[in-house]
Structures are given as C-alpha cells and as structure tokens.
Amino acid sequence: MNINLKDYGLNERFEQEATLYSGLFIARVTEQHRDLYKVVSEYGETQASVSGKFAYCVNDQIGFPAVGDWVMIDRVDKSTGNAVIHNILHRKSVLARQAAGTENAGQVIAANIDTIFICMSLNADFNIRRIERYLTIAWDSMATPVIVLTKSDLCVDLPQMMDEVSSVSMGVDVIVCSCENGDGYDAINAYIGQGKTIAFVGSSGVGKSTLINRLMGQDLLATKTIREDDDKGRHTTTYRQLLCLPNGGIVIDTPGMRELQIYKGNLSKTFEDIEEIAARCKFGDCSHGTEPGCAVREAINNGALSEKRFESYQKLQREMSYAGLNSRQLENEKINRMFGGKNEMKQLKKQFKEKNG
Ligand SMILES: Nc1nc2c(ncn2[C@@H]2O[C@H](COP(=O)(O)OP(=O)(O)O)[C@@H](O)[C@H]2O)c(=O)[nH]1
Ligand SMILES: [Mg+2]
C-alpha cells in the first residue's frame, strides 16, 4: 500500500459502500480511453476495463464508468493483466451531456465532483448563451458551478462583459483570471480543498489546461502553443484526466466539446428570473405567445427581460430530452435496470463470490 486514497477524495460515504463488496478493491477512475480505464487504488495505478457481465447489463453510456467514479476492481496486481471493474459506487454528482450524434443517450463528462469551473475566455470564445447552456447542465449535476472568465489580459471592455455575465449568472460566483499576470488565482485556490474534486469544462483553447498547470506548479498537461492556435480543429487535451494537486484537492481536465447537447438539466435554477416572471402570468399554462395577461411578454416589452435570454430558455427547454427526470431518478432507474432491484443484486454478489472463491 503506497497511496492514500483520501488524497484522491475518498471519504466515509464511499468507504462504507465499498464494504458491501468483499473481495474487491476500491479505486478511482483517473483516465478514460474508450473502453480502457486508468484507475488508482491504495496499491497504485493500474489499467482496467469493465466485466462482460457489467457491459451486458448496462444499456446506456451513462451506466459505464467515467473519470471521477469510484469503482470496485478485482485485482491490484498488475502482473496478472488488467483489472476488471465490477461495480460503480453511487455517484454523488454526475456531469453529463448528450452523447454526440445520438438522440437520447447520455455520456458522463465527470463524476463525483464538488465544483464545476465553467471556463470561458474574455476574447474570442465569449458567449453568454453558452454560459446558460453550461449552467443548465451544471445545476443538475449536484455539483456547484463557478464561472471562470479567462484571458482577462486580452479583454477589451471588462465592465461591459461583466455586465453581460451578471445578467445570466444569478447565484453563481464569477472569477476573472489571467495566466499572464496571475489575476484570479487566489480566488480559484479558495475553492480547492483537501479531498475536494473540481472539474474544468469549456471550449477548447480557453485556457483550462494552462490554469491546471499553474495550480499543479508544473507543466504536466499539454497546452496549445501559439503556432498551433492557427490549427483550428486541433484539440490538445484529448481525454479526460484526473490529477491530485500538490496542496490537496483533485482536478479533472476535460477536452473542449464541440457540441454540448443537454441530456438532463435544471432550467428552473438557471432561469430563476424567467420562472419568477412566468408565475405572474394570468393563465397557469401560459405559453408566453399571444395569451392575454402574459407577464413574460410584458417583461420583454418593457425591457425587464431580454428577448434573447427568453429564446435561449425556450431552446434549451425543447432540447431537454429527459424533461422532468432529475439525476437521482435517472440513477435509480439505472440501478433497477442493472440489477433488477436489491435481491437480484445480492444474488449476483453471491454468484460472484462462489466463482472467485
Ligand atoms: N493571453 C493569454 N493566453 C492564455 C491564457 N490562458 C491560456 N492562454 C493561451 O491559450 C492557449 C490555449 O490554452 P489551453 O490551456 O491549451 O486551453 P484548453 O484547450 O482550454 O486546455 C494557449 O496558447 C495558452 O498559452 C491567458 O490567461 N491569457
Ligand atoms: Mg486542454
């Protein structure tokens, strides 16, 4: 044993749950390369993949392990081949998106995170509609979103941009930073504590890996060089990766996502202002079209609500495929599908024990 998993965020909740699986070892997923995972246990890092039974039972990508997951593996001795992942422990939070090119399949971006840093640069990438999209996903994940505005050194009109951001970021902390002058690093560090996991999300090129390297105190992650910046389609970070920070805390870097379609989201929290206005409409089922007494149209007409923001709200609403289902309900659904309830789960464990002595 040479690794203290507390440094990787292990806490009592996961330790407790792990005791349900005797004969298996607890580990955290630190990297994912398609079907192959890198996991870390008390005995060090090892490669792992899911068992055939596991793959057979899961019928949605959401059910597969992802970076940040706590999993139960069958071996820690590398000399006997890759470890087999048999179970995922209950996720405390799940950041998910719609899998690219699918209609109704989710994909986990990161699991068991405490804080999501939504990164956007204050130059080319700046787009408040995108912040709304990220917030909708983040608020549903059970982790706390924080907006990180990068490259403040390249910003032309900071007060104007901050105004725009504050019109969509109610209840969310906003940090302005720059790796050129170190602005904002103290504010970022304030979120990083022993055993806490932070995920960085945002478009490619906004400076996520640069920021993480700063926090690590060394250039561990590849970042784009100036010359490579011309090469538009290129992603320097190609897979999700979990790293331990020198002063405690764990970070997950993610590659930029070309499309971030919503799989499940929380519009009520992201658009609290609109829902508050809508509550004053004359009709409870007002569609905010041409009905009389529509408070939303009135707010748009008198300038209290931006039409663009309302359109964005409606667009995201249409996009939400699992409307009405929150993360916990989805998680329960998944367990029922996988194990057909508690009895089946017990049965499986018994069979597994017999087979593996
Ligand atoms: N001017 C300026 N450039 C930055 C800043 N942060 C990152 N960059 C540059 O932006 C490019 C993309 O950074 P990278 O960390 O690879 O972005 P990622 O794709 O989000 O991980 C690199 O050339 C960085 O040097 C910043 O605060 N100011
Ligand atoms: Mg990167």
Side-chain angles (χ1 to χ4, degrees), residues 28-264:
R28 193 165 197 193
V29 177
T30 58
E31 282 178 32
Q32 181 185 355
H33 305 267
R34 292 180 188 274
D35 302 345
L36 200 60
Y37 298 90
K38 202 186 250 184
V39 302
V40 61
S41 74
E42 280 178 310
Y43 300 86
E45 276 193 331
T46 183
Q47 290 198 326
S49 48
V50 299
S51 69
K53 168 108 199 156
F54 189 109
Y56 180 76
C57 290
V58 177
N59 49 13
D60 186 330
Q61 280 191 61
I62 289 276
F64 280 92
V67 170
D69 263 326
W70 287 100
V71 294
M72 300 307 299
I73 56 174
D74 69 340
R75 78 198 76 177
V76 287
D77 178 3
K78 280 174 233 171
S79 63
T80 58
N82 286 353
V84 177
I85 299 173
H86 285 276
N87 311 87
I88 302 179
L89 301 188
H90 273 92
R91 290 164 174 159
K92 173 172 98 171
S93 60
V94 191
L95 184 65
R97 67 156 171 171
Q98 188 121 308
T102 67
E103 223 160 64
N104 224 330
Q107 179 185 37
V108 178
I109 300 168
N112 300 316
I113 38 193
D114 297 284
T115 311
I116 298 170
F117 280 172
I118 299 171
C119 303
M120 199 167 84
S121 76
L122 284 159
N123 61 338
D125 179 60
F126 190 78
N127 178 339
I128 54 171
R129 301 282 90 86
R130 193 175 310 116
I131 294 191
E132 289 170 336
R133 175 174 291 271
Y134 273 102
L135 282 177
T136 301
I137 293 174
W139 275 126
D140 189 70
S141 70
M142 310 296 280
T144 309
V146 172
I147 296 171
V148 178
L149 302 170
T150 62
K151 309 195 188 182
S152 66
D153 54 292
L154 299 178
C155 179
V156 258
D157 190 350
L158 188 61
Q160 157 71 23
M161 283 174 155
M162 290 303 284
D163 262 4
E164 286 188 42
V165 171
S166 65
S167 72
V168 300
S169 65
M170 294 79 67
V172 182
D173 290 352
V174 180
I175 299 173
V176 174
C177 70
S178 164
C179 76
E180 290 293 308
N181 54 29
D183 276 359
Y185 280 80
D186 288 344
I188 285 176
N189 266 314
Y191 288 91
I192 296 169
Q194 190 69 37
K196 293 275 180 269
T197 305
I198 284 152
F200 284 75
V201 297
S203 309
S204 180
V206 298
K208 300 180 294 295
S209 301
T210 305
L211 243 164
I212 294 174
N213 281 340
R214 273 285 189 111
L215 299 171
M216 292 294 292
Q218 53 177 312
D219 288 345
L220 228 92
L221 301 174
T223 57
K224 254 185 222 143
T225 63
I226 308 282
R227 223 185 317 134
E228 277 172 332
D229 265 351
D230 301 335
D231 190 354
K232 286 261 161 35
R234 189 171 170 141
H235 295 269
T236 314
T237 305
T238 51
Y239 55 88
R240 304 179 232 289
Q241 186 176 14
L242 179 147
L243 296 165
C244 283
L245 292 170
N247 304 325
I250 302 107
V251 294
I252 297 176
D253 189 18
T254 65
M257 286 159 284
R258 236 176 279 252
E259 51 174 333
L260 189 72
Q261 301 279 46
I262 297 186
Y263 174 64
K264 54 198 180 68

